[in-house]
Structure formats: structure tokens, C-alpha cells
Amino acid sequence: MAYIKGIDISNNNGSIDFSKVASDGVKYVYVKATEGATFQDSTMETFYSGSKDNGLKVGAYHFLVGTSTPEAQAQNFYNKIKDYQWDLVPMMDIETNFNGISDYVVRFITEFNKLSSLTLGVYSYTSFISYLTGIKDTIKNMPFWEANYNNDPWNLPGSFFTNRVGHQYTETGNVNGVSEECDLNSFTEGVLLDNASKAGEWILQDGKWWYRHSDGSYTTNGWEKINGSWYLFDAKGWMLYDWKQNGSNWYYLGRSNDGAMKSGWVLQDNKWYYLGDANDGSMKTGWQKIDGKWYYFNSNGEMQTGWIKYNGKDYCLYSNGEMIHDTIMYGYKFDSNGVATKLR
């Protein structure tokens, strides 16, 4: 899975030139729709049209407060967004703590699901998740967009959420076309409504697997997240497995009875590969910094050991693949970047 650059905006962001936003690599835009039981953001329509006119995917969010009933808030949100064609999962923004917050969240979800067939997601801060542990069984599988301003996309701690689809990693980002600093995000395709997790069942037919949704539909030519794992389906809807290329990236999808996209380190035929994290999974090549250490992978994705030459410079990698640096070994001095210079 590839990561997608996104922003989220509201009436606090002033005027926006969405053609410039699109030219800066932004693909996904979240706009504020509502807050509480009565507030409706007057810029939503303008931002929605500007995004759509420039080929950007758009989603809406509601800011949950404790001063009005969650049912009235869900109705306000639904009434504001119901007549638009959204691309991204609508989000409930939970970041203000008040008495009964967990009960409010459950009641908002229940009411929204009565009003709309759209998949609902949760936005919250890493530091706020602990307030929601009492209802984790209700929300743990919902699409989760996490705010953590570490300026390091997808470097996030574990939590009970199983379906993290976005990371808001700074609130002081700069994007062409936005006159002021704004929130920057990195999303997965799981935030798309078309890719939102759907209930269904696995079916084995003629020795091949496919996943039938409760409404009878099934995914073709693309990814789907099922029970917390990503799967890739071909043009006929069959689950793919083994090594497969999708776009410009290679993925390892396990065995014929598995198919879930693999991540992290993978050993095959005595060769090590690195496939990114659970939301990425693409085979890495070239220099990669993993857990604070540098490794080099050739064009086939195989981790290298021993001596290599890169851009005319010599490097040496331990037997575990880690780059040698800041030391003297084998008659060479290795600098902080790992470049080897022969000692006289």
C-alpha cells in the first residue's frame, strides 16, 4: 500500500487555491462540516467544490462536544453532508474530554449508523486514546485517524485500534495554495469509502479464494482490508498470493491459503527482504534506515552484506546487513555515513 499526502481544513484556514494544493502533491482533503448540535462550517461547500474541481478526494469530519446530545450532533453532521458525494470515510473528531465521553461516542455511532450507510471513522490524539479504552471493543475496528505531532509519519505507538488509516503528524505544515500553516497528514487507501472494511465471508471455489460482502459484492483489481489485514484481488475477484507487483511496487502476499499482505522482515530462500510496516508492505530497495540502522537492498529487494560500491564509494555491511560506520576495521576507516577510506 502506498501512503498519500493529505490536509485537513476548516474556516480557520482562510482562502485556499486548490489548484496549487494539488500541484504540491496533496491527494486527500478533509473539511470540517459540523460541531455540536447546531454549528455548520460555512466553508465546507467552497472547500468541497475546490477540491473536487482539482481532482482531490474529499471527506468530512464532525467535532464532538459535551454540551449537546450525541444524537443531535449525529443528526447535525448527517444533515450537513448527506447531499454530497464523499470519497473519504466521514470522521468523528474526539479530542475533548468530558463526563460521559465514552457513552457519547457510542451513542453518536449508533445514531449516525441509523441515519447513514456510510462507514464512520474515528479521529483522535495518541494521548487521548486512554480515555476510550472502556469502549475499545466497539471502536477498535473502525477506521482510525491518529494525531501525533512528531513530524515523523507513521512512527506511532501501538494501541487497541486495528485499522489505522491516517496519521496527522504536524499542525504547522506548509502547503502551496494555503495561506497559513495547516495540518499535514499521511493516509492509506483504507480511508477511501470504497476501501472501507465491509462485512462478508471468505469463499473457497475451485481451489481459489474470494471475499463476498454481505450485500453480494466483491472487490476486483484492488486492495481490501479484511479483519485488520490487507488483501489484493485480481480482475475477477480472486485473492492473489505469493510475490505480486501492483503499480510500481512489489508485495509478498503469503501462501495460497493465506494471502494477507506481509510487512517487516521476510526470509525467503536464505535471502532477507524488508517490506515496510503493516500499512505499507511494499518491498524496499536501495538504502533504508530501519530501527535506527542503515541497510542496503539491491534492485531485487535482497538485503546485502559485505562490501558494496555505491555512487563510486565503498561501504561494508555486517553479516546481519547493518552498515558499518564510525569505526576502523579491515584496514579501513568508516566515517559517520559509512564511507570507507583505506588506511595507508
Side-chain angles (χ1 to χ4, degrees):
M1 302 301 298
Y3 289 121
I4 301 99
K5 183 178 181 180
I7 60 173
D8 56 277
I9 50 179
S10 69
N11 58 88
N12 295 318
N13 292 102
S15 62
I16 298 177
D17 185 333
F18 285 94
S19 64
K20 292 182 178 179
V21 170
S23 70
D24 201 14
V26 171
K27 302 293 185 184
Y28 295 171
V29 177
Y30 265 100
V31 298
K32 184 174 183 178
T34 51
E35 179 175 333
T38 58
F39 177 81
Q40 297 190 342
D41 197 310
S42 61
T43 62
M44 191 199 81
E45 290 82 358
T46 300
F47 290 168
Y48 173 92
S49 297
S51 297
K52 287 283 191 175
D53 289 346
N54 287 277
L56 304 175
K57 304 292 187 183
V58 197
Y61 70 91
H62 170 84
F63 191 93
L64 188 71
V65 299
T67 54
S68 54
T69 69
E71 290 80 9
Q73 294 187 57
Q75 291 162 14
N76 185 32
F77 187 38
Y78 172 72
N79 288 333
K80 180 69 169 176
I81 69 173
K82 64 183 176 66
D83 295 323
Y84 296 84
Q85 297 298 313
W86 301 101
D87 306 293
L88 310 178
V89 170
M91 290 285 176
M92 172 176 43
D93 181 343
I94 313 168
E95 57 181 277
T96 302
N97 192 25
F98 50 84
N99 289 334
I101 177 66
S102 292
D103 179 59
Y104 261 60
V105 170
V106 173
R107 287 165 59 189
F108 185 99
I109 294 169
T110 301
E111 182 66 17
F112 185 83
N113 288 341
K114 290 178 182 177
L115 298 167
S116 175
S117 61
L118 296 178
T119 299
L120 182 66
V122 170
Y123 165 95
S124 192
Y125 285 82
T126 300
S127 58
F128 199 87
I129 295 174
S130 60
Y131 294 115
L132 305 174
T133 54
I135 55 169
K136 65 180 181 180
D137 288 341
T138 300
I139 64 177
K140 65 181 181 181
N141 295 320
M142 296 176 68
F144 180 50
W145 173 17
E146 185 167 351
N148 185 317
Y149 299 148
N150 59 5
N151 293 305
D152 188 7
W154 294 101
N155 180 12
L156 292 166
S159 72
F160 61 76
F161 282 100
T162 65
N163 189 18
R164 189 187 275 136
V165 296
H167 177 195
Q168 185 184 88
Y169 56 89
T170 181
E171 61 179 344
T172 57
N174 292 293
V175 173
N176 290 340
V178 182
S179 58
E180 303 171 358
E181 292 178 336
C182 68
D183 299 333
L184 284 182
N185 304 271
S186 179
F187 292 106
T188 74
E189 292 180 350
V191 79
L192 291 168
L193 278 168
D194 288 346
N195 284 349
S197 297
K198 301 176 182 177
E201 61 176 334
W202 284 103
I203 296 175
L204 180 63
Q205 182 178 337
D206 300 327
K208 297 182 287 186
W209 288 96
W210 63 290
Y211 190 76
R212 182 175 62 194
H213 303 135
S214 298
D215 62 3
S217 65
Y218 54 93
T219 297
T220 60
N221 274 333
W223 294 92
E224 181 173 356
K225 196 167 192 178
I226 303 170
N227 298 326
S229 298
W230 284 103
Y231 296 84
L232 184 62
F233 297 89
D234 68 13
K236 295 183 178 180
W238 298 115
M239 181 196 77
L240 297 173
Y241 61 94
D242 205 357
W243 286 100
K244 296 298 178 189
Q245 186 174 16
N246 185 248
S248 59
N249 295 319
W250 282 90
Y251 300 86
Y252 181 59
L253 307 174
R255 307 294 184 181
S256 60
N257 62 346
D258 176 4
M261 182 191 76
K262 307 308 177 196
S263 61
W265 289 99
V266 171
L267 178 64
Q268 278 203 331
D269 300 325
N270 293 318
K271 297 173 183 176
W272 283 102
Y273 301 82
Y274 189 72
L275 307 178
D277 64 28
N279 286 307
D280 178 5
S282 61
M283 184 189 76
K284 305 306 178 187
T285 61
W287 287 107
Q288 300 291 328
K289 193 173 187 180
I290 304 168
D291 296 330
K293 300 174 182 179
W294 284 99
Y295 301 81
Y296 187 78
F297 301 85
N298 68 16
S299 59
N300 294 321
E302 301 163 359
M303 185 194 77
Q304 302 297 284
T305 61
W307 287 97
I308 65 170
K309 188 175 288 290
Y310 180 81
N311 285 345
K313 297 178 181 179
D314 293 314
Y315 299 81
C316 192
L317 310 165
Y318 289 116
S319 59
N320 66 358
E322 179 187 344
M323 182 190 75
I324 300 173
H325 63 92
D326 293 302
T327 191
I328 295 175
M329 295 179 67
Y330 314 130
Y332 287 81
K333 179 180 180 180
F334 297 87
D335 67 16
S336 60
N337 294 315
V339 177
T341 303
K342 189 172 181 61
L343 298 175
R344 295 182 180 276

